[in-house]
Amino acid sequence: MQFSKLHLVLSLLPSTLAQYGGGSGSSTASVAAASASPSSSTPSNVKIIDVGEDGLTFSPNSTTAAVGDTIEFHFYPEKHSVAQSSFDSPCTLMNNGTGFWSGGFSTDSGENKDVFSVLINDTKPIWYYCAAPTHCQSGMAGVINPPTDASTSLTNYIAAAKNVPTSQGGTAVSGGTVGPAKAASSGTGTPTTSSSASPSASKSAGVEARAGAQWLVATLGSVVAVGMGALMV
Ligand SMILES: *[C@@H]1O[C@H](CO)[C@@H](O)[C@H](O)[C@H]1NC(C)=O
Ligand SMILES: *[C@@H]1O[C@H](CO)[C@@H](O)[C@H](O)[C@H]1NC(C)=O
Ligand SMILES: *[C@@H]1O[C@H](CO)[C@@H](O)[C@H](O)[C@H]1NC(C)=O
Ligand SMILES: [Cu+2]
């Protein structure tokens, strides 16, 4: 009998979500539905870049991403990091530290349980490198949304990186979040929310709708939690 009460609360979730999405376009509904259901596959708006899985490289080293996509850096042994630079100053934090910085990741074996996630806000080129000693100079660098101009190629960035005496790391994690991957198969269906997904006036309607949908799902999640709590007393 108690189980059936809980079941009722859970069964209300999909229809409530459908109502939320119905007024403002199907994309909102599908994002909400995708966030609400446990999944072992990577959502289509998440792009994975493996750090150090194939030696001192990022795989892939060139990635195309759209506004609203999330880049997930997945870390492999032994010690690596991800830092953003300008094209002109390889291995050096962009704008005196306003670019993203993952912090250092130490991984004993396999894939680190935490990832570094960065939200893509525009399609301008993003250059990044690993700040572990000598890694950037050895070519451990990559680009998101590479420019078409041949003079600003990853090959040229890596060639210039060889001449940079010391790589620069940051002090505190910035420009992204450290936490479990969205692609994690052990998830309970709770959506991954972060401060970087909060709506703001400068963001597109799509991003706002998505943040709103995540908030709704989180709220419904607490309704279920309250329902379960009530069943326990
Ligand atoms: C860079 O940032 C540091 C720490 O915030 C600051 O002390 C320094 O003045 C900045 N340098 C420039 C050139 O802006
Ligand atoms: C990028 O990665 C590909 C695939 O591993 C590799 O063939 C290519 O040389 C790399 N590019 C640069 C500039 O290192
Ligand atoms: C996009 O905006 C978020 C939130 O302001 C920020 O944390 C993130 O670093 C930005 N992404 C890039 C690539 O600058
Ligand atoms: Cu490295």
Side-chain angles (χ1 to χ4, degrees):
M1 184 188 112
Q2 291 194 334
F3 173 81
S4 67
K5 267 198 223 167
L6 175 60
H7 183 77
L8 175 68
V9 174
L10 288 173
S11 67
L12 286 173
L13 272 172
S15 63
T16 315
L17 287 171
Q19 282 169 16
Y20 178 83
S24 55
S26 57
S27 62
T28 305
S30 61
V31 168
S35 303
S37 61
S39 171
S40 58
S41 62
T42 305
S44 61
N45 62 344
V46 175
K47 302 261 162 81
I48 294 172
I49 298 176
D50 290 315
V51 184
E53 190 184 17
D54 310 311
L56 297 185
T57 58
F58 291 93
S59 312
N61 52 20
S62 181
T63 304
T64 302
V67 174
D69 283 356
T70 296
I71 302 289
E72 270 186 7
F73 291 95
H74 291 213
F75 292 86
Y76 288 81
E78 190 174 323
K79 287 191 162 105
H80 299 289
S81 58
V82 183
Q84 187 180 5
S85 78
S86 65
F87 175 80
D88 292 326
S89 298
C91 322
T92 306
L93 283 177
M94 194 172 78
N95 296 337
N96 195 26
T98 60
F100 58 70
W101 164 242
S102 69
F105 277 72
S106 291
T107 313
D108 291 335
S109 65
E111 186 183 330
N112 198 292
K113 67 178 174 51
D114 282 335
V115 304
F116 180 60
S117 300
V118 177
L119 182 66
I120 299 301
N121 309 308
D122 59 50
T123 54
K124 288 185 210 143
I126 295 171
W127 302 92
Y128 60 87
Y129 61 96
C130 174
T134 74
H135 289 195
C136 182
Q137 289 75 7
S138 308
M140 191 163 186
V143 61
I144 299 163
N145 293 325
T148 49
D149 178 5
S151 68
T152 47
S153 65
L154 181 59
T155 304
N156 288 356
Y157 179 103
I158 286 174
K162 287 193 171 68
N163 303 319
V164 178
T166 319
S167 300
Q168 186 186 16
T171 45
V173 173
S174 65
T177 52
V178 172
K182 285 187 183 174
S185 54
S186 58
T188 56
T190 309
T192 309
T193 53
S194 70
S195 56
S196 61
S198 62
S200 85
S202 63
K203 289 198 184 119
S204 72
V207 171
E208 286 190 30
R210 212 167 307 171
Q214 287 189 345
W215 175 85
L216 180 75
V217 172
T219 307
L220 288 169
S222 11
V223 169
V224 172
V226 168
M228 289 176 76
L231 288 172
M232 285 180 204
V233 291

